Amino acid sequence: MKNALFFLLAGLPFINAQYGNSNDNSMTTTVSSTTSSTAVSASSTVHKIDVGEDGFTFSPNTLTVSPGEKVEFHFYPQNHSVIQASFDNPCHPINDSSFSSGFVPTTKESTSVFTITINDTSPLWYYCGQIGHCQAGMVGVINPP
Ligand SMILES: *[C@@H]1O[C@H](CO)[C@@H](O)[C@H](O)[C@H]1NC(C)=O
Ligand SMILES: *[C@@H]1O[C@H](CO)[C@@H](O)[C@H](O)[C@H]1NC(C)=O
Ligand SMILES: *[C@@H]1O[C@H](CO)[C@@H](O)[C@H](O)[C@H]1NC(C)=O
Ligand SMILES: [Cu+2]
């Protein structure tokens, strides 16, 4: 499995090249949220990762994100998830506080979007928790080392 992951990661620069600059997939949006008492609005860079749009893939599967920026996972058919892993154990939750989207079954692009905020530049490895998907290569990394 370690060798398999190494093989995958060794291919990342080529995969990434298909997207050109990985920042092409980012966009600047205005994010508004309403709490019970106040409405806040902040402009920030939001990076988008498509989950399962093209088979067992995260697109892009490697992304460099600055602290304070957000990453949105957009889910495509059929029934995927996103869970934080460690490099050494890529198909298992890193620990009890791993981020995890839960499963998102859908027949078209889901309206459920899983958003995480990046707090630092340390690598965040993640995988799809659906049976067999991680083993099929459905893994990715934010801020690769
Ligand atoms: C889980 O792993 C993350 C990343 O290594 C670490 O920051 C966090 O403290 C860990 N949490 C627990 C409960 O071990
Ligand atoms: C999605 O996958 C999970 C895990 O395999 C499963 O428990 C759940 O029933 C699936 N949902 C649908 C609607 O297929
Ligand atoms: C970033 O920090 C917030 C607030 O402590 C926390 O809720 C969130 O899970 C952190 N993001 C990641 C990717 O660990
Ligand atoms: Cu999957």
Side-chain angles (χ1 to χ4, degrees), residues 51 56 79-81 128-130 133 138:
V51 182
F56 299 142
N79 184 0
H80 300 285
S81 72
C128 174
Q130 186 56 271
H133 289 200
M138 198 164 178

Side-chain angles (χ1 to χ4, degrees), residues 51-63:
V51 182
E53 191 185 13
D54 184 24
F56 299 142
T57 57
F58 293 99
S59 302
N61 58 7
T62 181
L63 197 58

Side-chain angles (χ1 to χ4, degrees), residues 62-74:
T62 181
L63 197 58
T64 299
V65 180
S66 299
E69 295 179 348
K70 293 184 192 314
V71 176
E72 291 183 352
F73 291 90
H74 290 250

